[in-house]
Amino acid sequence: MQNLTILGSTGSIGTSTLDVVARHPDKYQVIALTAHRQVDLLFRQCVQFKPCFAVLLDELEVAPLRLRLRDAGLKTEVLCGAAALEAVCTLPEVDTVMAAIVGAAGLRPTLAAARAGKKILLANKETLVMAGNVFMDTVQLNGATLLPIDSEHNAIFQALPRGYDGNLKGAGVRRILLTASGGPFRNTPTAELQQVTPEQACAHPNWVMGRKISVDSASMMNKGLEVIEAHWLFNAAADDIQVVIHPQSVIHSLVEYVDGSVIAQLGNPDMRTPIAYGLAYPERIESGVAALDLFKIATLEFSAPDFERFPCLALAYQALRVAGTAPAVLNAANEIAVAAFLDKQIFFLAIARVIESVLNELPVTQVTCLEDVLHADKLARRAASKQVQLLTL
Ligand code: NAD
Ligand code: MG
């Protein structure tokens, strides 16, 4: 029996994780679930999975949830706040932590899981973008196991040799081909991008996801964050990672070897596949995902990314090359800009402008510890909020 903590259980990845878990009651047991809002959904998840702990962020929600759980005859203990998030990641009885909180809020609890030497199923890519070296060092130092859940990175992990040790050249790899759907605006004329709404940005052609990552996909910042994520996971330089536009989202990424072999992982665009892979690794379990029908798909297309139409992708490559605090600054500025766009404060195209000016404004320093990252994150949020004010509609 594998004991799980699911951070962000009410989100898109969290609910997909519970969907897979529910298919295998003999293999997985839920110890803790955590959520920000959506208390009703958290309550229903507690009724179904009977965890020992449920964690919320809003103190005011705690007492009513406790009461409801007690009335339902459950023993689930309700905890609250950021410290509780870390606590449920480090419990001795927990084997595996699904890191599926969105954004910078996921960093501390995911890091706590690494410090406690847990098996980490990493969906929260922002952890690696912000604090890649600190996180990877912590994983290694404490013997934690890191399995990528982001579909592209999960595909690369599957296409690399088993036991890959972080030496691309040694493994005979020429480069990593990171696929991208191109998002909902792949073919939208640049002139029309100015007027797109949050609803349009969140209507992804292939994937159903949370709102932040949906906007990131529309701006292609998601792919930029994933380039940085791949850098840390696989010890790949920016030049070793080629983004490939592949609108069907059937090939989740590829690894090109020096002998000319290219190994890809294919599947329907459904996150339950990488989640099931992470849960069961190194074995395979049913995920509920329909079999891939190649005859129905029939055609797979590929093209090069357009860095001018999607400046966020170029900014992410730039931040990775600059290194130090630059990726943390990029991430924080992006979070502020995306929230402002979702709030209808700024235009879609202003997202890249906010990030670019913050990257230009703030000095880059080295990252040697978590505090360096948190400091850069704070400065970048402040600078980005100022930029948002200047650009507010
Ligand atoms: P989501 O918005 O659907 O869910 C986010 C979860 O985090 C929710 O449970 C929410 O309650 C919780 N949360 C939000 N803010 C929080 C805070 N401040 N403190 C604590 N908890 C908080 O997001 P998602 O689409 O499930 O994405 C989660 C993570 O997985 C992101 O980092 C995203 O980039 C990554 N990811 C998602 C997908 C996908 O298909 N959805 C694919 C690859 C990677
Ligand atoms: Mg992805």
Side-chain angles (χ1 to χ4, degrees), residues 8 10-13 36 57 100-101 105 123-126 150 209-210 271:
T10 53
S12 164
I13 294 287
H36 189 199
L57 283 189
I101 288 175
N124 178 265
K125 61 192 84 183
E126 293 90 348
D150 211 345
M209 309 179 284
M271 289 306 292

Side-chain angles (χ1 to χ4, degrees), residues 290-308:
L292 185 65
D293 186 343
L294 285 175
F295 300 129
K296 209 162 136 195
I297 292 158
T299 311
L300 297 177
E301 297 165 286
F302 308 96
S303 59
D306 183 341
F307 288 97
E308 272 167 34

Side-chain angles (χ1 to χ4, degrees), residues 132-150:
N133 61 339
V134 174
F135 182 67
M136 294 306 283
D137 287 352
T138 309
V139 164
Q140 202 147 46
L141 217 73
N142 296 282
T145 303
L146 181 58
L147 294 168
I149 298 303
D150 211 345

Side-chain angles (χ1 to χ4, degrees), residues 19-354:
D19 181 284
V20 177
V21 166
R23 291 164 198 276
H24 304 279
D26 54 322
K27 290 191 167 70
Y28 308 104
Q29 189 175 314
V30 179
I31 301 292
L33 296 173
T34 88
H36 189 199
R37 296 197 182 91
Q38 291 186 288
V39 187
D40 285 339
L41 179 54
L42 183 64
F43 170 74
R44 290 198 301 277
Q45 292 179 338
C46 287
V47 170
Q48 188 180 355
F49 294 95
K50 302 184 176 48
C52 306
F53 302 97
V55 184
L56 281 170
L57 283 189
D58 188 349
E59 188 74 53
L60 293 175
E61 308 271 19
V62 172
L65 181 63
R66 259 186 206 139
L67 215 60
R68 283 174 80 182
L69 289 169
R70 213 187 50 201
D71 286 351
L74 292 174
K75 293 205 179 70
T76 304
E77 201 176 315
V78 183
L79 306 174
C80 184
L85 282 181
E86 291 189 41
V88 295
C89 291
T90 59
L91 294 167
E93 63 267 40
V94 167
D95 306 300
T96 301
V97 174
M98 165 54 84
I101 288 175
V102 61
L107 173 59
R108 277 179 186 276
T110 309
L111 205 54
R115 237 180 272 120
K118 303 299 185 192
K119 171 172 150 184
I120 300 168
L121 309 184
L122 187 71
N124 178 265
K125 61 192 84 183
E126 293 90 348
T127 288
L128 279 175
V129 174
M130 294 174 72
N133 61 339
V134 174
F135 182 67
M136 294 306 283
D137 287 352
T138 309
V139 164
Q140 202 147 46
L141 217 73
N142 296 282
T145 303
L146 181 58
L147 294 168
I149 298 303
D150 211 345
S151 57
E152 296 78 3
H153 306 75
N154 189 269
I156 295 161
F157 184 83
Q158 293 195 46
L160 282 168
R162 179 69 57 90
Y164 170 71
D165 63 355
N167 181 354
L168 277 187
K169 288 262 168 326
V173 174
R174 188 181 285 144
R175 56 184 183 153
I176 287 169
L177 302 169
L178 187 71
T179 54
S181 69
F185 305 140
R186 185 172 55 88
N187 294 320
T188 309
T190 312
E192 286 173 32
L193 282 181
Q194 185 70 359
Q195 298 300 334
V196 295
T197 62
E199 289 66 37
Q200 288 171 309
C202 288
H204 196 279
N206 307 336
W207 299 94
V208 181
M209 309 179 284
R211 280 164 74 76
K212 190 259 180 184
I213 185 177
S214 294
V215 176
D216 286 348
S217 297
S219 70
M220 287 202 72
M221 178 55 92
N222 183 50
K223 211 46 55 179
L225 300 178
E226 290 185 358
V227 169
I228 302 173
E229 185 184 11
H231 161 73
W232 289 112
L233 284 170
F234 308 117
N235 193 26
D239 290 335
D240 298 330
I241 306 164
Q242 169 71 54
V243 172
V244 177
I245 305 293
H246 164 48
Q248 290 80 16
S249 297
V250 165
I251 296 184
H252 299 308
S253 277
L254 319 87
V255 175
E256 182 182 306
Y257 288 87
V258 286
D259 62 2
S261 296
V262 179
I263 300 188
Q265 187 259 0
L266 285 73
N268 284 319
D270 186 321
M271 289 306 292
R272 289 176 299 175
T273 295
I275 290 167
Y277 183 88
L279 281 170
Y281 179 82
E283 287 162 24
R284 301 261 181 186
I285 53 167
E286 284 277 351
S287 65
V289 176
L292 185 65
D293 186 343
L294 285 175
F295 300 129
K296 209 162 136 195
I297 292 158
T299 311
L300 297 177
E301 297 165 286
F302 308 96
S303 59
D306 183 341
F307 288 97
E308 272 167 34
R309 267 167 62 74
F310 294 103
C312 284
L313 182 58
L315 290 171
Y317 264 106
Q318 180 195 319
L320 174 58
R321 290 195 167 97
V322 171
T325 49
V329 168
L330 172 98
N331 180 70
N334 181 55
E335 286 191 21
I336 295 292
V338 169
F341 168 67
L342 284 172
D343 215 23
K344 302 197 167 147
Q345 279 176 270
I346 59 170
F347 282 126
F348 180 71
L349 292 177
I351 294 173
R353 284 169 58 194
V354 169

